[in-house]
Amino acid sequence: MLTKLAGARLYDPANGRDGAVGDLFVRDGRIVADPGPGAAPDEVHDLSGRVVMAGAIDIHSHIAGGKVNIARLLMAEEHRAAAQEPCGCVGLATPSTHATGCRYAQMGYTAAFEPAMLPSNARHAHLEMADIPLIDTGGYLVLGNDDLLLELLASGAGEEAVADYVGFMLNATRSLAVKAVNPGGINAFKYNQRRLDVDENGPFHAITPRRILTSLAGAVQRLGIPHPLHLHGFNLGVPGNVEATLDSIAAVDGLRLHLTHVQFHAYGAEGDRKFSSSAARVAEAVNRRPNISVDVGQIMFGQTVTASADTMAQMNNAGLAHPKKWVMMDIECDAGCGVVPFRYRDKVFVNALQWAIGLELFLLIEDPWRVFLTTDHPNGAPFTSYPELIRLLMDRDHRLARMAELHPALPEHTILGSLTREYSLGEIATMTRAAPARILGLTDRGHLGPGAVADITVYTDRPDRRAMFEKPDLVFKDGRLIVRDGVVVAVLQGRTHVVEPAYDPTIESWMARRFDERMGQRLTHFRIAEEEIRGGTGLVRHACLPGAF
């Protein structure tokens, strides 16, 4: 079947199109070249005047796994509305799997990636992601506090051995990338330590976070994983943590590094409140170093729940829980988990400045290919707040009006009011489509060129950018229409994206002995078989590029 999307304004940064009027042709789920005057399309959509982009891609959203389900249990009040919602779309900060897929698709998203999949929980996380309809998924494997890696480093293992370990773990857990959460800090928390600085030895293995960070970043690069090490940095949410953030950038010494939810790591300790914005310092460092990319983790006001493997940070935040309940847990030899409900208030100075810091980062980082639109769902806000965030970035008048409603001391502590930049539609398409696909190695996603998967979103160009991005006219997944005027009209299953780097299999005998000694399962049972992922169908493998970076 040949489908023609006619007369659209195409925003396709990967192919150099910035509002150019043209036609798209779709056959068998992929975009194809113009078949010529002799081919009669089976279906034609007249999109004259309308904006067309590839399906959006969220590189960092907590959508599956242990802590997500703990959050759902803790926030049971969000799910009591199920009886009143026949579509099953319940939960705001903690949506069900069905609601997650529907709400993403209704905003024009066709992929979202779980950024914190623990090795011991990977099988469950994959089962849950497979239950999310309409969008593609994948997981980033959390390493950096796991006993086996720390033992390798403490034993003096070289770069090759560390890379072999990481390569095996990525293959065994069917992961797309590697995530490090407060490297060394979660392990230190298990020994009753409540803080671990970048160059401080951990309490058991006597390894510094700097060494863990550089070893993992080096292994990711050595293996040719398209996405750089995805780093949840040090001292999350602590005034003055910008120094640790800048130290992390310097520590990798030119290796590629992705700083996640960097808004939470861009805090100074200046001023009479001992809490200040260091967004300008972080942005300057990113602008000067092409090896660094970030996602922001913007906070938006309202009730949410914070869920993180960083038990050290979450224990510090437990006293701020709203409502007053929280969960902390230790996860065998992997990491940990902390779930703390939280309400961001616009009249609270700290929350207002956090909001401003995130926007400062968006507006000060110059390259839209290296800054990504996230709220660290649900930690900063539910992902459903993206349309309002886009409006804040594209409409300075709206931004200033919203700022005037916040804590009265805010203007004295932020440069946000002086920033005149407004994102263009092309820049929004870059940071939400083309750039996420490129940094994840998804070569046939995020663009509208021939050969691309036909994940396509159609908008009416509205001055109110929130209204525009909140309710697309049409959304196609794999060439099939799934959303019309914000309503899901067809339900289909997405795919799971993975990488399979090469490694020396002799590492497995060393690992098998240690699994027998200290883990709750044998190594042979730990490895996830291909048929366990969506019944053996829908697995998309992406090439590794050894030595490419």
Side-chain angles (χ1 to χ4, degrees):
M1 178 175 175
L2 180 65
T3 300
K4 179 179 180 180
L5 308 181
R9 290 170 51 203
L10 303 175
Y11 287 87
D12 182 19
N15 292 297
R17 292 184 284 194
D18 189 25
V21 176
D23 302 331
L24 293 178
F25 295 88
V26 176
R27 178 183 282 132
D28 298 328
R30 289 189 179 266
I31 297 171
V32 297
D34 188 335
D42 301 286
E43 182 179 66
V44 177
H45 294 268
D46 182 2
L47 303 183
S48 300
R50 286 191 271 184
V51 169
V52 173
M53 300 180 182
I57 300 169
D58 192 343
I59 72 164
H60 186 109
S61 181
H62 297 283
I63 54 176
K67 64 181 175 298
V68 173
N69 279 293
I70 293 170
R72 290 180 181 129
L73 288 169
L74 193 65
M75 303 297 286
E77 57 269 27
E78 284 204 344
H79 296 265
R80 293 194 184 106
Q84 303 170 17
E85 297 287 345
C87 70
C89 290
V90 297
L92 181 62
T94 61
S96 65
T97 52
H98 181 78
T100 297
C102 288
R103 288 175 181 163
Y104 265 119
Q106 287 168 323
M107 296 192 306
Y109 277 76
T110 54
F113 293 91
E114 166 56 53
M117 186 169 72
L118 295 180
S120 60
N121 191 42
R123 181 171 276 107
H124 164 254
H126 277 298
L127 289 169
E128 191 171 357
M129 284 189 284
D131 199 49
I132 298 174
L134 299 167
I135 63 172
D136 291 352
T137 58
Y140 308 162
L141 183 67
V142 174
L143 299 175
N145 288 281
D146 42 314
D147 276 3
L148 297 188
L149 174 65
L150 298 181
E151 182 180 331
L152 267 179
L153 294 175
S155 70
E159 294 178 0
E160 289 186 12
V162 173
D164 290 336
Y165 170 76
V166 174
F168 169 82
M169 294 293 283
L170 284 165
N171 278 273
T173 59
R174 305 286 177 174
S175 299
L176 180 64
V178 177
K179 167 83 170 288
V181 179
N182 188 6
I186 302 170
N187 184 267
F189 184 83
K190 297 172 188 283
Y191 296 91
N192 268 337
Q193 195 160 326
R194 295 297 180 261
R195 184 183 176 97
L196 188 67
D197 291 326
V198 178
D199 291 305
E200 181 181 358
N201 277 331
F204 183 79
H205 294 284
I207 301 169
T208 66
R210 182 185 298 271
R211 186 174 174 203
I212 300 169
L213 168 61
T214 56
S215 295
L216 281 175
V220 167
Q221 187 145 314
R222 187 184 187 95
L223 292 167
I225 308 304
H227 189 53
L229 179 65
H230 198 92
L231 177 66
H232 165 133
F234 306 100
N235 302 324
L236 180 143
V238 177
N241 63 13
V242 65
E243 303 302 338
T245 301
L246 298 177
D247 283 349
S248 300
I249 292 173
V252 296
D253 192 26
L255 293 173
R256 296 175 73 232
L257 180 68
H258 181 86
L259 302 173
T260 191
H261 44 66
V262 72
Q263 177 275 135
F264 289 108
H265 303 273
Y267 300 160
E270 290 74 37
D272 55 351
R273 297 173 184 265
K274 306 302 181 185
F275 180 64
S276 59
S277 171
S278 288
R281 294 181 65 193
V282 173
E284 180 187 12
V286 174
N287 288 337
R288 285 191 286 109
R289 293 172 173 84
N291 60 307
I292 304 297
S293 58
V294 306
D295 63 76
V296 170
Q298 178 69 34
I299 76 132
M300 304 291 275
F301 302 112
Q303 179 68 50
T304 191
V305 59
T306 65
S308 175
D310 194 345
T311 42
M312 185 177 280
Q314 290 294 75
M315 180 60 78
N316 290 335
N317 293 331
L320 302 174
H322 182 281
K324 293 292 183 182
K325 52 184 177 179
W326 51 269
V327 173
M328 300 288 157
M329 64 182 296
D330 179 36
I331 302 174
E332 206 176 41
C333 299
D334 270 349
C337 172
V339 180
V340 181
F342 195 82
R343 175 172 289 178
Y344 294 100
R345 296 175 171 87
D346 58 2
K347 296 300 192 288
V348 172
F349 172 77
V350 169
N351 297 163
L353 188 53
Q354 288 177 297
W355 176 87
I357 290 170
L359 294 175
E360 287 175 347
L361 288 163
F362 274 118
L363 298 169
L364 291 170
I365 294 173
E366 297 165 357
D367 184 359
W369 289 89
R370 293 192 291 122
V371 58
F372 299 87
L373 189 133
T374 67
T375 58
D376 187 21
H377 166 84
N379 292 286
F383 64 78
T384 48
S385 63
Y386 288 171
E388 170 62 13
L389 176 52
I390 290 173
R391 185 182 182 191
L392 289 167
L393 296 177
M394 297 189 73
D395 185 343
R396 182 174 183 247
D397 288 342
H398 176 64
R399 195 162 65 227
L400 293 176
R402 188 69 184 99
M403 184 176 165
E405 299 170 351
L406 307 184
H407 190 282
L410 179 62
E412 305 169 20
H413 295 82
T414 177
I415 62 170
L416 183 60
S418 67
L419 299 178
T420 60
R421 181 181 178 185
E422 294 179 322
Y423 271 68
S424 67
L425 284 171
E427 288 176 318
I428 294 297
T430 298
M431 73 187 312
T432 60
R433 274 89 170 166
R438 186 174 78 173
I439 201 171
L440 291 172
L442 315 183
T443 56
D444 60 356
R445 268 83 174 166
H447 70 92
L448 300 173
V453 170
D455 292 352
I456 302 167
T457 306
V458 179
Y459 302 98
T460 294
D461 192 353
R462 296 184 174 94
D464 183 339
R465 298 307 191 185
R466 172 174 178 165
M468 174 179 173
F469 285 94
E470 205 166 44
K471 189 178 177 181
D473 300 348
L474 304 171
V475 181
F476 296 86
K477 180 77 183 79
D478 297 322
R480 183 176 173 187
L481 182 64
I482 58 172
V483 173
R484 184 189 295 275
D485 296 327
V487 177
V488 174
V489 297
V491 177
L492 51 79
Q493 296 305 307
R495 296 178 173 84
T496 298
H497 296 262
V498 301
V499 290
E500 296 177 342
Y503 65 94
D504 185 343
T506 58
I507 191 72
E508 295 181 33
S509 60
W510 178 85
M511 294 180 64
R513 291 194 300 273
R514 279 148 182 84
F515 262 69
D516 290 344
E517 293 167 0
R518 67 186 74 165
M519 299 295 189
Q521 61 181 324
R522 305 196 67 162
L523 190 66
T524 53
H525 300 149
F526 172 75
R527 190 196 299 263
I528 300 172
E530 180 174 346
E531 57 267 23
E532 294 183 71
I533 307 294
R534 301 182 185 270
T537 63
L539 199 66
V540 181
R541 296 172 171 88
H542 295 283
C544 292
L545 305 170
F549 306 115

